Amino acid sequence: MLPSIAIAKAVAYADSIALMAAGITLIYMCTRTFNFAHASFVTWGLYVVYAMTMLQGGSPYYYLPLAFLFVGVLGVAVYMLVIGPLMRRGASPTTLMMTTLGVDLVLLSTIQMFADFLTRTYRLYARRVVLEVYDFNTLGIPGITYVSLIIVVVLIAAIHWFMVKTKFGTAMRATIENPDLSSVLGINPNVVYIASWFIGGGLAGLGGGIASLAISGDPTIGSRIIVSMFASSIVGGLYSVYGSVLGGLLIGLTEYLGIMLLSTQLGGWILTYRPVIPLIAMAITLLIYPRGLAGINWGKALLRIKSLGGRTWK
Amino acid sequence: MLLEVRNLISGYGKLKVLFNVNLDVEEKEITVVVGPNGAGKTTLLNSIMGIATIYDGAVYYNGSKISGMPTHKISRLGIAYLPQMGNVFTELTVNENLRLASYLLDKAEVKDRMDEVLSLFPVLDKFINRKAGTLSGGERRMLAIAMALMRRPKIILLDEITTDLAPIIAKKVLNQIIDLRDKLGLTILIVEQLAKIALELGDQAYLLVSGTMRYSGKALELLRHPDFSELYLGIKKI
Ligand SMILES: Nc1ncnc2c1ncn2[C@@H]1O[C@H](COP(=O)(O)OP(=O)(O)O)[C@@H](O)[C@H]1O
Ligand SMILES: [Mg+2]
């Protein structure tokens, strides 16, 4: 029905969406900001990998850490220059969200400028980024499928370790729950907020870097997939990084494979409606699990699945 | 004078709650602020800690101005605050709560203080790895007190600590705090709706009604004031 290469690509795409959604959730949990600038964050991550691969050579994979770092710093800058000052003046979550829309427009224009710069100075065709040719291939499956899956698993384990085992991670969880109380105990909430924008931004940059190998890119790629990122974060329950990763995998796979099936069945005209798929997937998930994937009692769900299994096998 | 509040006008956003409030806290004394529900007692402590909005007036600690400073810096001066509500992290374990409360101490100190507060509240040791959200009201209050004591503050601000405690435990906790005052030279500012217990313990007392100070003087004098109930209810003014 579906070629295995398509499934492999869908997995890589879903992995990138999962990382982006984890960033959205982390930033929202810590600073109550729905970050629409995530669109440009992701695109910047993609362009960092693209430009470095073109200009420095080597495998695009070398530049994934740089994409994380670059966009992480970008996130810190956005927090320090825009979001932080507004929060200290008591801005509402709605104001913060609208502000990130403005930030996104500014960042989008910097990406356009950067793409033009690459074109003028280095004669690169920077308005259409395709890095697939630089990927390796094992058993007929593109390298990015393996690598992105490993990155998601390792990163989630690392974030879990960081949040649970380290002093700063504990302070972060505390500040998420009750910022006033943590500052009463002498913790500077600002440091926690900065960290959340660094990690959240970094995850967006990494997601964008992975997307450069999974799908083709252009300066507006982030704006086109921002719907999927938010849908994943919401499906994940908004208050759980793990939930957002599950949400990202669910939404990414549904979207990628769904549009593929639909376009082969119904024709190419359906491709325009691609963003509707994540929204429908989100609506259906929330109808079944109103509190998102993180709200599910997984222990109970597994038991139920086991008992169902038992019944059919008897 | 360790802590001074001068002509304070404060509140939240556009809502003013306190009007021209003055308060003096003498070192190593127990100062008590009593007043009915909604008088602004919590807001007074929130103003000292830099959580509420200050429109006018100032707060001084050890002679230097602290109003306008961010909360974590005020805290680091040695001021501990035990809020009335939301005073433990419910998603964190008892152990994690205590460790956070000693965030700025080094490892060896943390261990010492941990042993110290756990011997004060042995019940917490039993629940050390349980989430604070699963504790009863009284246990949570004990954890919050333990957290406030972890850093060995110079002054501790206590907001209605007796509320969730059984009367016997409330007395015990208050007596322990007085012990600490005597042993460690702790200065204490207590805010209470239930005036009697607190006034019996306190040195100086203030009566706060509708955001204004109606009385200041010796704690026992306020308790024995012939018009105490009228004053407390705001029917009568001095
Ligand atoms: N966080 C807040 N935001 C807005 N108003 C508040 C807040 N906390 C308290 N208030 C208002 O301030 C007034 C005084 O409250 P509070 O200081 O809690 O009194 P008390 O501690 O003496 O019972 C009340 O009218 C209350 O509604
Ligand atoms: Mg109160």
Side-chain angles (χ1 to χ4, degrees), chain B residues 36-43 84-85 159-160 191 193:
Chain B
N37 198 11
K41 302 181 297 296
T42 299
T43 306
Q84 179 176 9
M85 313 245 265
D159 196 349
E160 315 224 0
V191 150
Q193 201 186 136

Side-chain angles (χ1 to χ4, degrees), chain A residues 50-71:
Chain A
Y50 170 69
M52 292 306 283
T53 309
M54 291 302 161
L55 302 180
Q56 296 288 316
S59 161
Y61 290 110
Y62 297 157
Y63 304 111
L64 288 181
L66 186 69
F68 185 102
L69 207 65
F70 180 86
V71 183

